[in-house]
């Protein structure tokens, strides 16, 4: 696999990982806020003592964002501690998050149960644009994280081939 030397052609890999982790935390937080805002607007029409169906769907819909938050915090912990095995946690969580996001989005949209897509045509367009951009950003972060992991592993490896 071809490893990246720099993040976005201008930042070090470590700085890129830090900025991407913070940016993903911000984006996941904004999406969580938006979903809960939609839930509050739609659940207000429900009867006062019933369990709204949107709550279950919302719980399923926020799973990718919660996984992103956990992955970002684990990545920041790995960057601070420089513990090599800890880098596999965010990579695994990002794979699970990306897979879940695609599968849930397709299934819930096809069934007409997606909380965001059901709002309007523009919500539908922006939701799928969000999914594509989020997947691209997640894949690039995984690439940068793995490249930094390999760079760090090469630096810390005691058996490097040194030309004498």
């Amino acid at each position: 696999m071809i490893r990246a030397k720099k993040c976005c052609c201008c930042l070090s890999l470590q700085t890129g990982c830090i900025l991407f982790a913070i940016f993903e935390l911000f984006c996941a937080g904004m999406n969580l806020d938006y979903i809960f805002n939609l839930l509050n607007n739609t659940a207000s029409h429900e009867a006062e003592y019933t369990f709204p169906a949107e709550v279950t769907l919302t719980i399923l819909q926020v799973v990718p964002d919660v996984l992103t938050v956990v992955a970002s915090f684990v990545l920041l912990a790995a960057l601070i501690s420089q513990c090599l095995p800890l880098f596999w946690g965010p990579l695994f969580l990002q794979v699970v998050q990306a897979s879940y996001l695609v599968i849930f989005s397709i299934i819930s949209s096809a069934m007409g149960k997606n909380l965001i897509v059901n709002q309007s045509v523009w919500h539908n367009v922006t939701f799928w644009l969000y999914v594509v951009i989020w997947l691209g950003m997640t894949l690039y972060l995984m690439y940068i994280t793995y490249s930094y992991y390999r760079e760090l592993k090469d630096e810390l490896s005691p058996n490097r081939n040194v030309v004498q």
Side-chain angles (χ1 to χ4, degrees), residues 106-128:
I106 291 171
I107 291 173
S108 66
S109 295
M111 292 174 59
K113 301 290 184 182
N114 191 306
L115 186 64
I116 297 173
V117 171
N118 293 341
Q119 296 294 318
S120 71
V121 173
W122 290 110
H123 280 84
N124 192 356
V125 170
T126 55
F127 176 76
W128 286 106

Side-chain angles (χ1 to χ4, degrees), residues 29-48:
M30 293 296 290
N31 194 44
L32 286 170
D33 181 55
Y34 180 69
I35 289 172
F36 289 132
N37 184 31
L38 284 178
L39 177 67
N40 288 335
N41 288 338
T42 58
S44 63
H45 304 294
E46 298 284 331
E48 188 173 329

Side-chain angles (χ1 to χ4, degrees), residues 17-69:
C17 285
I18 292 169
L19 291 177
F20 265 113
I22 292 170
F23 182 69
E24 279 200 334
L25 279 172
F26 175 74
C27 289
M30 293 296 290
N31 194 44
L32 286 170
D33 181 55
Y34 180 69
I35 289 172
F36 289 132
N37 184 31
L38 284 178
L39 177 67
N40 288 335
N41 288 338
T42 58
S44 63
H45 304 294
E46 298 284 331
E48 188 173 329
Y49 297 106
T50 60
F51 186 76
E54 286 88 5
V55 172
T56 305
L57 293 173
T58 303
I59 290 170
L60 292 174
Q61 194 148 358
V62 300
V63 167
D65 296 310
V66 171
L67 287 172
T68 299
V69 168

Side-chain angles (χ1 to χ4, degrees), residues 7 11-23 72 75-76 79 87 141 143-149:
C7 177
L11 299 171
S12 71
L13 293 175
Q14 183 180 20
T15 305
C17 285
I18 292 169
L19 291 177
F20 265 113
I22 292 170
F23 182 69
S72 295
L75 178 58
L76 289 172
L79 290 166
F87 279 92
L141 176 59
Y143 174 62
I144 295 300
T145 302
Y146 182 74
S147 295
Y148 182 65
Y149 165 78

